[in-house]
Amino acid sequence: MEQEVMIIDFGGQYNQLIARRVRDLHVYCEVVPYKKVDQYLEKHTPKGIIFTGGPNSVYVDDAPKIDSKIYDLGIPILGLCYGMQRMAVDLGGQVSRSQSREFGKTPTNFDSQAKLFKGIGDSITWMSHQDFVTQVPQGFKTVASTQSTPNTAMANEDKKLYGVQFHPEVNHTEKGQDMLRNFLYDICGLEGTWTMDRYAQTAIEGIRKQVGQGKVLLALSGGVDSSVCAKLLEKAIGDQLTCIFVDHGLMRKNEGDEVEAAFKDTDLHFIRINAEDRFLARLKGVTDPEEKRKIIGEEFIRVFEEEGRKIGSVDYLAQGTIYPDIIESGAGDAAVIKSHHNVGGLPDVVDFKGLVEPLRQLFKDEVRELGEELGLADYLVWRQPFPGPGLGIRVMGEISKERLDILRDADAIYREEIAKAGLDRSINQYFAVLTNNRTVGVMGDYRTYDYTLALRAVETTDFMTADWSKIPYEVLEKISSRIVGEVDHINRIVYDITSKPPATIEWE
């Protein structure tokens, strides 16, 4: 990449968010575990470096550390929270434990003469710390303070080294993005050239160079990642690509047809496998959600293997892997959250020369932006996040075609009304769940005993935590009225007002 920023991960909970904020300013960056900094610097010369926060005290025996020679490279560095404390101790300052933890929104005084805070007056920052810098290193000066923390920020303008005790990357810090802009543009000298049109050109060239005349196989789910991946590969290599779309019968209403319509008339070789009967046969009588997931995942691989063998010689397997997948698969000392592969086990189908993963540098919203740049259909670009097992884990208890159809109809009404209300881009995920509970109701003069449907809607930036969405009552009323009136076998609607944690976003 022409211009890049290295974000050194010390185990902070906001490492992905920091990267997102940098990318929002059109600057390319990568998150690098602190133990791999030397390896990264052997191949890269970043224009700027950001230290993340972290859960440790700098004084514990196993505190994350890096070689202090990094401060002599002449590269501007910004330390956030633990990153500031790490910088202070490494350069001869002092850090101590406070009598009280400073947490949450905090009024902060800034020295607007400091380059980092140019144009920024006193405002609110987001604090989350108990240790703090009691003495800044030689050559530094204090450039921000709060009532509890005199050295809230420090700066060595000559060496372009900066540290802040708060988190500019979170929305609660009022001028946080302005501070990051000052660091990236004014201090690092970056220009914000990271755009999806340029990325598309580079990615297409990279695919052609890697693949040559080889054949590529892609498991196309219809989700935004695999759909954008397919569109990018189509532009790069045309009929050298084969896309297999396994319709397991657990899709939302009309979704299989929409995916087929989006790709069947393009230059790529698109194969749709209608496998509803075999999936439902395997799932008959199964009620445990984990068992459902395993059966659906295993059956998908079996179908894909069968089709892969029919195609014959294939050189590369393509996957819609994105950057959060890479980070969550074991960056730093953190435990692996989940090992991400679009289709686990697929390399056993055929002897692939390698993987083609053209989205592995992108976050989800960048993938959507790229999809728009490539001209992908809007309903695919903005498709709601959908779990691999599909509606199989949104039908509580045993799965049947009848129950799936009930949920499909109800979910379609929910999504339609959310879009009509103009909320479809502001709510990050929303869907219906057909519960296994039946309740008594009255329709006309008759008693009913039918299913309870749950509605779920959340707002989130990273899907690691989420708040339930405050959908206006009149919108909920319209949704409830339509579903009960138009969908048979549902007589009660409930709305899930639980955040994550303690709940998860999906019910199963």
Side-chain angles (χ1 to χ4, degrees):
M1 293 297 163
E2 323 168 345
Q3 303 179 339
E4 60 188 58
V5 169
M6 174 172 63
I7 298 173
I8 299 179
D9 179 15
F10 288 115
Q13 60 179 316
Y14 299 128
N15 56 7
Q16 284 197 42
L17 186 54
I18 297 167
R20 280 300 317 117
R21 295 292 180 255
V22 172
R23 296 277 185 93
D24 285 343
L25 292 165
H26 302 292
V27 172
Y28 179 70
C29 63
E30 291 189 17
V31 178
V32 180
Y34 72 93
K35 290 184 177 180
K36 297 182 180 179
V37 168
D38 289 343
Q39 296 170 242
Y40 183 86
L41 290 174
E42 287 176 1
K43 300 178 180 179
H44 304 265
T45 304
K47 297 287 184 68
I49 297 172
I50 297 176
F51 293 172
T52 74
N56 302 93
S57 167
V58 290
Y59 289 126
V60 300
D61 291 339
D62 58 349
K65 299 178 182 178
I66 53 175
D67 194 320
S68 293
K69 69 182 181 184
I70 197 167
Y71 302 107
D72 299 321
L73 296 177
I75 300 172
I77 301 176
L78 173 62
L80 312 180
C81 199
Y82 176 90
M84 173 185 179
Q85 297 166 14
R86 180 75 272 159
M87 182 186 296
V89 170
D90 289 345
L91 297 176
Q94 293 182 0
V95 172
S96 302
R97 178 61 57 95
S98 173
Q99 295 298 316
S100 61
R101 187 180 182 209
E102 194 172 35
F103 181 82
K105 294 181 179 180
T106 307
T108 306
N109 303 312
F110 291 102
D111 178 358
S112 58
Q113 297 302 308
K115 290 183 180 179
L116 187 63
F117 303 133
K118 183 186 72 174
I120 295 172
D122 296 348
S123 57
I124 299 295
T125 61
W126 181 262
M127 295 286 188
S128 181
H129 70 100
Q130 188 160 333
D131 290 353
F132 68 106
V133 175
T134 50
Q135 181 178 324
V136 301
Q138 185 175 357
F140 283 76
K141 65 177 181 178
T142 298
V143 290
S145 63
T146 68
Q147 186 174 358
S148 303
T149 306
N151 298 315
T152 297
M154 63 183 191
N156 184 326
E157 302 280 14
D158 293 336
K159 292 189 175 182
K160 298 184 179 180
L161 303 177
Y162 303 85
V164 299
Q165 188 56 70
F166 52 88
H167 290 274
E169 69 274 20
V170 303
N171 289 331
H172 299 303
T173 296
E174 293 177 342
K175 301 293 181 65
Q177 195 71 344
D178 293 332
M179 298 172 196
L180 291 175
R181 181 183 292 104
N182 288 343
F183 177 71
L184 297 171
Y185 291 2
D186 297 342
I187 296 170
C188 299
L190 296 165
E191 297 177 353
T193 57
W194 171 254
T195 59
M196 285 305 101
D197 59 336
R198 292 185 61 169
Y199 181 82
Q201 297 169 20
T202 302
I204 288 170
E205 292 171 5
I207 292 167
R208 289 171 178 165
K209 183 178 180 180
Q210 178 185 3
V211 172
Q213 298 302 311
K215 300 291 186 181
V216 180
L217 183 64
L218 170 68
L220 179 61
S221 70
V224 60
D225 299 336
S226 66
S227 296
V228 172
C229 187
K231 195 70 174 178
L232 192 62
L233 288 163
E234 176 203 344
K235 287 186 176 293
I237 57 175
D239 60 7
Q240 293 170 241
L241 171 67
T242 298
C243 294
I244 296 180
F245 168 50
V246 179
D247 187 347
H248 46 27
L250 304 171
M251 307 287 283
R252 289 169 291 200
K253 190 170 184 176
N254 301 325
E255 208 155 34
D257 293 340
E258 290 175 353
V259 173
E260 182 175 4
F263 292 102
K264 70 175 182 178
D265 294 327
T266 60
D267 292 336
L268 58 80
H269 185 203
F270 176 90
I271 301 173
R272 177 178 179 176
I273 307 299
N274 293 309
E276 179 183 55
D277 290 344
R278 66 186 287 176
F279 274 85
L280 293 185
R282 285 288 315 275
L283 290 165
K284 187 174 182 179
V286 177
T287 59
D288 180 75
E290 283 305 305
E291 190 176 354
K292 288 181 190 177
R293 287 177 178 272
K294 290 176 182 177
I295 289 172
I296 293 168
E298 179 186 349
E299 195 66 15
F300 181 88
I301 291 174
R302 298 289 84 79
V303 175
F304 197 91
E305 283 177 338
E306 292 169 13
E307 295 304 316
R309 292 191 184 100
K310 291 177 185 177
I311 293 170
S313 178
V314 176
D315 300 292
Y316 294 91
L317 172 68
Q319 298 190 141
T321 307
I322 64 175
Y323 197 43
D325 300 343
I326 304 299
I327 296 174
E328 289 182 357
S329 294
D333 282 346
V336 174
I337 298 172
K338 49 184 175 180
S339 295
H340 292 262
H341 297 285
N342 275 8
V343 186
L346 287 179
D348 293 335
V349 179
V350 68
D351 185 18
F352 293 108
K353 292 179 181 178
L355 290 175
V356 180
E357 297 177 315
L359 309 181
R360 62 183 287 116
Q361 296 172 323
L362 303 183
F363 285 93
K364 178 73 76 174
D365 55 340
E366 291 174 319
V367 173
R368 295 190 195 280
E369 187 180 344
L370 178 60
E372 291 183 327
E373 184 70 33
L374 295 171
L376 189 66
D378 193 64
Y379 59 80
L380 289 176
V381 171
W382 291 99
R383 183 181 187 238
Q384 277 285 300
F386 197 53
L391 298 183
I393 58 168
R394 292 179 182 173
V395 169
M396 310 291 286
E398 186 173 359
I399 298 170
S400 67
K401 189 174 189 314
E402 179 190 25
R403 299 190 74 208
L404 286 166
D405 286 341
I406 292 170
L407 179 56
R408 271 189 271 264
D409 288 342
D411 184 74
I413 291 171
Y414 183 27
R415 289 186 287 127
E416 180 183 334
E417 291 300 327
I418 289 293
K420 283 182 179 178
L423 300 173
D424 50 323
R425 299 288 176 91
S426 60
I427 301 175
N428 301 100
Q429 189 167 358
Y430 52 94
F431 55 90
V433 176
L434 186 66
T435 76
N436 212 20
N437 296 327
R438 289 176 180 263
T439 64
V440 174
V442 177
M443 290 189 180
D445 296 326
Y446 295 95
R447 175 187 184 273
T448 62
Y449 189 63
D450 278 322
Y451 291 113
T452 298
L453 184 86
L455 304 178
R456 181 74 159 140
V458 298
E459 295 171 17
T460 177
T461 56
D462 55 12
F463 289 89
M464 304 299 290
T465 62
D467 292 326
W468 63 277
S469 183
K470 283 67 175 177
I471 297 175
Y473 289 150
E474 59 270 20
V475 177
L476 288 172
E477 182 179 28
K478 180 70 177 297
I479 293 166
S480 176
S481 177
R482 279 197 61 192
I483 291 174
V484 172
E486 299 176 30
V487 182
D488 291 337
H489 306 298
I490 294 175
N491 68 357
R492 190 179 299 271
I493 310 292
V494 297
Y495 185 53
D496 184 348
I497 60 169
T498 318
S499 294
K500 175 186 179 181
T504 55
I505 295 175
E506 296 286 346
W507 275 39
E508 287 195 341

